[in-house]
């Protein structure tokens, strides 16, 4: 039952067609339709916050196209992560300029609208191989209305590269640190700043790094405080968390 | 907002005090109170089904006593699993015969009432060391209104022990199979019957059985169909699942 | 020794050719031939229950064709899971309409006959990527004589999607919940209903979801009772278990 | 070389005792003394932010007493986590009221001073067994100058308990969600709000929950966005991260 | 149905009371009673082979005493592994000299009778800490009628200790190699001989040896052929396998 | 230094050219040359036992050809396991009929000569997908001079298939059991016979069978005695172990 | 701020433009620029030690070309590991003879200059499949100025092959041991020598060797002392560590 | 056969009692006695290098006393690691001042003699809880004749503590870095120096640090070169490796 359904019950009650007891009985049976209201409200809220993110691998081109079309039809916004260039190409053939493509981040969006900027997120990587994940985070932050700053390839094997760039830290509201191998960079960064740190382990590395497991465990076991960890290679998740932190910071004013 | 709250809104609408729009607006804001209705209904349903189970380890005697008292106060029923005899002793000192104690299953109950019996659950173990977990399952089934049958120590190292007891299978509605070590028994049982099998890996075994992990993986990887697996040593969970299957079977008549 | 063999011994005894002791001695030596009887009986039983399921990956097209042919020759029924479209195509070239193909479920069957319907299984998924596994379960239920209902893409990130669809739960005898990533949906579903829940972890997700391991562990560790877990991506196993539960429910009438 | 050392070099230069080249040479040789400045500055900053946290297990009472004494001597502040009551008792015998004890959180502090309050952190738990970790988080937030709100025992097995308490979410700046077993609660919470969520897996559970591993993997693999995960049972880390987020929010005004 | 049952059917047939068809029908229904015959036969065979082994940990003294008593009552033989000295003491208080105790191997036996000796098993250990497991294997071999030879503390860190003792290898029929840590000794031994090698990983070691896991994986991954691996610390299993090999060797003559 | 080298030293001593002390000194310096003798002796021994096995994956065709050529040049024998048909084709183009190809077992041999037969090895599989590994074992046994018997597709889901074929067990000296999924078959087989059992886990299965890990752990944790386990999919290793057992049995006569 | 920046501050101080306090204040703000000095110094040092190593997989040809170009532009030296022949081909098309290619080691270098030789590293492998990793180590040692000696295919299955070659050990300063499967060779080597041993597990092997994990755990759990382990397949890391040991040995003279 | 045995053969040959062929034959049979020579030589060598290390846990006091006595009897030297104070007390009651006790390192030695000092090992720890393992390393270095320097509690959460102490690095020949939690310190240290780094993961930490596993994987996956890793908590192993490096450095002069 939707809003109209409830309105009908209430109208019937107001017009004396049904009694309070009847109305109560009918409404008791539809709490979830009530929840659909909240859902719609919530969705409106979400549209101002984090848009629906679709993880592209494992979905057919047809499925992705359908999701994109429906999203556009309802004036929504969708972010497709880990999209292949080939799939994006097909999407564009069908939907044209409605599709925006961020190649390094492997993100395509439809229906995204410019947001007002507030707050800045600094994205730091340990190595150059971590950059695709970092770009996924950076583009996500950008889509969600944050300014971004990048500080790449400042891994702990040359800690001077990091300490000589601390000025980047000052102007950021949140710092995303992307690192593979031993995943030590978030510990060092968090020890040098009092900004919240979002740590993203990457699957960069080989042997005993176990596809990002060593970095993940390292970040979770960090001797520094103030670090929140997201899943391996999950640049979108890191960007979304950072954007929520920034958004709440500025929303609260 | 409870039922009274909603009734008040509806009465105000019926009496013309507020408009349909007003009523709609107020009701939109209280979906969760509506849900409380469902919750209460659901709870009533649940009281006839699976009572609240409290995992005792890690709770203080005081906490357990408090839970037991509140349960009795609201005429509820609680099942305390993995309770130590010492804790049960203290509970009884306070609450007397309200507390029922099943020592082999390490289960204590308060507020449990006799249920009508319908359906039978057969509980099978591979070895004698699996019996405490099996008893936890059996007592749970019994509490939830099932008849129980036991067939213990019929592991696959002597498969004749099992095949010579197939008559037990015929009269059961569900078969719970409890096994540690390699956990092979559910595969063999499920291959011999068309009853649903609930498999419980136990932490019995040593070395590469990894506290039940070998049995768990074995049961999940079974070459037989018709097996649902619960957590390691989770006799209560197996009993509850079996009882739900039995109950739905007889409820549907 | 088959039925004929035993008959021969008994005839010799009846005709006085051999003594009781002789017959006893001969029969003692052939318990496994006796078992062959049971096997045949059991097989007949099974044909009314769960047909032989063949996991196609790792088998050559020739092997699959041979299995299909033999199954048809003995008027049997076989369910081939995880079959590729290419293999199914070849099968059909040889066996024509004897082969039925369920593309989304990746299931092909030969010799399957229409079964009478009894009972209903609801199949729920957390996301759209879980649908192939869900369809494997649904087609299995359908093959085994259950009605099916589907409720897809109601994951816990938007719990309202689920709570607004509780009416689906009421009419089901068993609920299969298919979920990847953190595998939280079965816990929520089992908390909202008293129907038995069969939980299927899927390999959907990446990073620390470890090919379904996170979902599997989550489902096994569920705080809700009444959940039986099957192997990762094992839609067939879930369907078979659900069908057994339903069948026993109705067989018992 | 400390501040005085540098001052001496500069004075010598200002007084003409040494040349610019000499001064340059000497200063070049002491980057780490320079860093000590930053360290001091940073420490001052930190005192307004996160005080030094000492993980008590594995340290002798004598070591802990020594750390506490030195902290007091330099007018510092220290937070001892996971302290046993016995150790706290000894600490108090020596240092008296300088030691503050939070028994449920197992935290002792020395030298902590009242901070101005800004921002609110909501701490949510799935079960009652998660409360000690939640209290560690809550006390940490409190020590670091945040208001706290608690919403305990609202696990996903009864999702209505959660949805009927959404009003708690609105007034919070950050939500800490503490859960063991399958760790599904953060996914559900993050799906219901746009506040940043800090997820803390706990070692509550048994069998295949592997001392918190199931909850940890589940939280990392969450289908919801906007979640940062900390280590198993790491209430202090969660509190510190939440406080940093809140602090930066209000510092930025 | 036991032997008497079958005899009755056959007698009825012989006396013309029932027809061949009747008899066939009745006998078809009792394959498992037939199997009980085989079971008994098999048990007799087994008593000449490997006696029932009872893993003592996790069993109460009362249970162990009961098993021992029943075993003696039916003139059987039982081997209790991993028994504590205290439990053995109690057993002896009740059963006296019927109980034989092998302290280093932590094995107690009841009803064991002297067997004829044939074949020799050499038990080799890498270190002195592996000796209890080795003794469990050696005593098992001895109980099962093998001669034993011991070569202890010849680990690969001093490979000369091994190569200077190759004469021990020549006279053995089977070699059991017990090793913890990296578990390399079986590879080296198997490379020096053409006797079958039974490898037993032990939980000796620390850190990344993971309670015997490193040794287990090492033995399974051995670059040498001719090695069969048993579970971690499973001296009894190694002894039983070695004895079976030896027994079959000599049985075949 | 080879045999000639030592002969030279001894001749010099015998002829008085050098003293005993000199000779001792020189010989002391060459224990490893002495070992080379043993190596050669050992190799001769091995040629009667297990020939050199070359694991083909990861080696170039050129390397494999070179190994084959050298083996033939020194009248040796080599067994190439896991060889692709393409590589075998190339080998044959160069070496012609010297190369023998066992396609199902994926084994190629060069220089293999007919051995006298003694002893029989029974190879059992749980399913049809286990057959390639079983054939690798069977061909290995055949190459090493054992008779072989095969009993395929008798997994524990239909335990009657196994118990009705026990006659195969009687005539075997060793039983190799090949099984994937839960790996339960060796436990059942070992419980039905007193022959040594060599268990081979296979990577057949999916999800929580983890590429053979579930089967491996299950076999190691078996509740039956008398089982030696080899590595996942290691048919060659199983065959070699079985052949060693058989060979020693008959060598000892 | 660079050297010039600091000079400017000091000049201003020397000329009386600013006070000591001003200068102190300004200098306090630039510790990281000071660190840039150290960085440069450190880099110079590094150029004499270990050149920058670039792990090629996961980098595009364009990225690799760019790194190579920049390296040459600044007269630097870069070592590209795990490079494919195709990529090297492209590099050479652009940069010609500046690129040196070591095919077996899969290493390409640009800007490498001949170093003076001091010290010798012996590289030992267990099997022939370990040779690519060993060559990566050997070429690295060579590039860093060490002499190298090779002793390949001396695994523990034929320990005589090793003991007959001990003379190689004497002349080496460091021994690198490369082994897959059970990884036992470093234990045996370290037991035969007092040279430091660098152990490299390789991903050679299958089944329970888990891509090098068995070898890694074995090496870490070694019963021999004096072994330092590097990551799986990390030939470069082993070579770099060995070269550092050798370099420090000779630098210290 | 020992040296005397060989001498006898040679004397017989020299005296013409036996022929060259006879002598050759006899000597061929005793390679392992020859190896005993090497063993003795090697042992002598080892006594100048690394003494026998006995891991005390799991050994009885009687066994430890016996080892100590035999060691003293043969004028040897033994290092007992992880010894409890109680055991050491008993050892001293029996052997008096022969036993030297290093309480913080939990090491007891017998028969150790002062060695000449050469070379210096710097031992660095991330935290104070890592100190016992560090002391085990330091005492081992000291026993083996190295000077030691200590730099404790300089973890990466406050990287300035490390960079301000770089002077310690210059005078060291080898640096041992001991760290738990995420194990990031060796990466940072190795990036700041060109000395060989021996990394020791410790079991310090909780939750996802998995008893040192996170630190171990982090160290193996380090982005810095020149690091050799030893087992978790293996301070002795680190000290022994460092001492071998130092010893070889100075031995080579």
């Amino acid at each position: 039952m939707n809003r109209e359904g409830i309105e009908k019950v209430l109208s019937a009650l107001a017009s004396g067609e049904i009694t309070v007891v009847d109305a109560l009985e009918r409404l008791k049976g539809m709490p979830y339709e009530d929840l659909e209201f909240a859902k719609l409200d919530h969705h409106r809220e979400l549209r101002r916050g984090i848009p629906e993110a679709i993880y592209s691998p494992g979905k057919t081109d047809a499925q992705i196209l359908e999701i994109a079309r429906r999203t556009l039809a309802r004036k929504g916004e969708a972010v497709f992560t880990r999209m292949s260039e080939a799939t994006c190409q097909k999407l564009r053939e069908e939907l044209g300029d409605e599709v925006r493509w961020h190649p390094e981040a492997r993100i395509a969006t439809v229906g995204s609208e410019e947001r007002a900027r507030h707050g800045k997120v600094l994205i730091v990587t340990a190595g150059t191989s971590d950059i695709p994940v970092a770009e996924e985070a950076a583009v996500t932050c950008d889509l969600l209305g944050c300014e971004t700053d990048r500080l790449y390839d400042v891994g702990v094997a040359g800690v001077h590269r990091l300490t000589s760039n601390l000025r980047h830290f000052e102007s950021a509201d949140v710092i995303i640190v992307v690192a593979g191998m031993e995943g030590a960079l978030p510990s060092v960064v968090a020890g040098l700043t009092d900004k919240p740190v979002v740590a993203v382990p990457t699957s960069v590395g080989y042997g005993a790094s176990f596809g990002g497991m060593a970095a993940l465990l390292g970040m979770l076991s960090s001797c520094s405080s103030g670090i929140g960890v997201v899943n391996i290679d999950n640049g979108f998740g890191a960007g979304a968390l950072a954007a929520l932190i920034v958004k709440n910071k500025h929303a609260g004013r």
Side-chain angles (χ1 to χ4, degrees), chain A residues 147-168:
Chain A
E147 287 178 62
T148 54
D149 186 15
R150 287 161 173 86
L151 180 57
Y152 286 172
D153 195 22
V154 292
V156 299
V159 80
H160 301 321
R161 292 179 296 180
L162 183 67
T163 47
S164 63
N165 281 292
L166 290 182
R167 66 185 176 280
H168 288 267

Side-chain angles (χ1 to χ4, degrees), chain A residues 90-144:
Chain A
K90 287 195 189 160
L91 217 55
R92 286 191 136 168
E93 284 167 15
E94 298 288 334
L95 303 177
D97 286 355
E98 301 275 15
V99 182
R100 283 163 61 185
W101 175 232
H102 307 264
E104 224 174 351
R106 295 161 300 171
I107 283 179
T109 62
V110 298
S112 58
E113 47 191 71
E114 198 57 33
R115 283 177 176 77
R117 301 281 125 184
H118 32 228
K120 193 198 284 186
V121 178
L122 170 65
I123 299 106
V124 182
T125 77
T128 54
S129 303
D130 302 315
I131 292 178
V133 173
E135 281 301 309
E136 188 179 297
V139 167
T140 301
C141 288
D142 182 65
L143 287 170
L144 298 179

Side-chain angles (χ1 to χ4, degrees), chain A residues 1 45 51 148 175 182:
Chain A
M1 187 182 287
E45 182 58 35
T148 54
I175 303 173
E182 79 272 61

Side-chain angles (χ1 to χ4, degrees), chain A residues 214-226:
Chain A
L216 171 62
L217 295 183
M219 290 171 179
L220 288 166
S221 305
S222 175
C223 53
S224 298
S225 289

Side-chain angles (χ1 to χ4, degrees), chain A residues 52-57 59 64 67 71 77-82:
Chain A
E52 182 96 347
I54 297 98
Y55 184 66
S56 308
K59 297 204 175 58
I64 285 174
I67 294 170
T71 301
E77 173 179 6
V79 175
F80 297 87
T81 61
R82 307 289 167 86

Side-chain angles (χ1 to χ4, degrees), chain A residues 126 130 155-157 179-187 201-202 204-206 208-209 212-220:
Chain A
D130 302 315
V156 299
M181 296 178 167
E182 79 272 61
L185 190 56
S187 295
T202 68
V204 169
Y206 58 105
S209 66
M213 195 62 187
L216 171 62
L217 295 183
M219 290 171 179
L220 288 166

